[in-house]
Amino acid sequence: MTERRKSRIPRFKNYEEEAAFWDSHSLTEFEDELQVIKVEVARPLGHILGVRLDAKTIDKLADLGRKKGIGPSTLARIWLMERLSQIEEHDQEKAAKETPIQAGNLSP
């Protein structure tokens, strides 16, 4: 089992502290701590759907998105995808509950 060393890169309290650190250090000083990671590139979204919203709703989306570190359109897209998935699951559950006509019992 390999022992994990404590990083020489400190934990930062804010972006300003981190910026000051990297202004006086180079990433090459920490090459022994770096590791290669595989990044999957998402396919670009191919279509745009324009949705008209009032300013108050857009402001709410922007505020909530900012708290999550994403933009308002990304948050709206996530919510739409989640809701569509819920509807699809509901439809599948409903279809599974419907019993097919049993053989020999064709009376209304």
Side-chain angles (χ1 to χ4, degrees):
M1 186 162 112
T2 60
E3 185 177 321
R4 193 167 189 182
R5 291 185 334 193
K6 185 177 177 183
S7 175
R8 297 183 322 267
I9 301 171
R11 295 237 179 230
F12 305 105
K13 295 177 188 162
N14 52 49
Y15 290 121
E16 291 77 19
E17 187 178 290
E18 184 174 4
F21 177 84
W22 290 114
D23 283 346
S24 61
H25 293 81
S26 169
L27 192 59
T28 58
E29 297 174 43
F30 304 96
E31 284 182 302
D32 59 319
E33 295 188 38
L34 302 179
Q35 61 184 15
V36 176
I37 59 169
K38 183 178 179 181
V39 177
E40 290 187 32
V41 178
R43 65 180 176 87
L45 302 174
H47 303 281
I48 295 174
L49 172 65
V51 179
R52 286 179 172 75
L53 300 170
D54 60 271
K56 187 176 179 181
T57 302
I58 293 172
D59 289 343
K60 286 180 184 179
L61 274 173
D63 289 341
L64 290 169
R66 198 174 303 110
K67 290 175 184 175
K68 296 178 176 288
I70 58 178
S73 62
T74 301
L75 179 59
R77 185 170 49 251
I78 289 169
W79 285 350
L80 283 169
M81 298 304 293
E82 286 175 352
R83 184 66 177 130
L84 289 171
S85 178
Q86 290 171 354
I87 291 169
E88 188 175 84
E89 287 175 19
H90 178 267
D91 289 349
Q92 289 173 352
E93 289 172 6
K94 185 178 175 183
K97 289 180 183 178
E98 293 175 355
T99 56
I101 299 175
Q102 297 176 349
N105 186 10
L106 300 177
S107 59

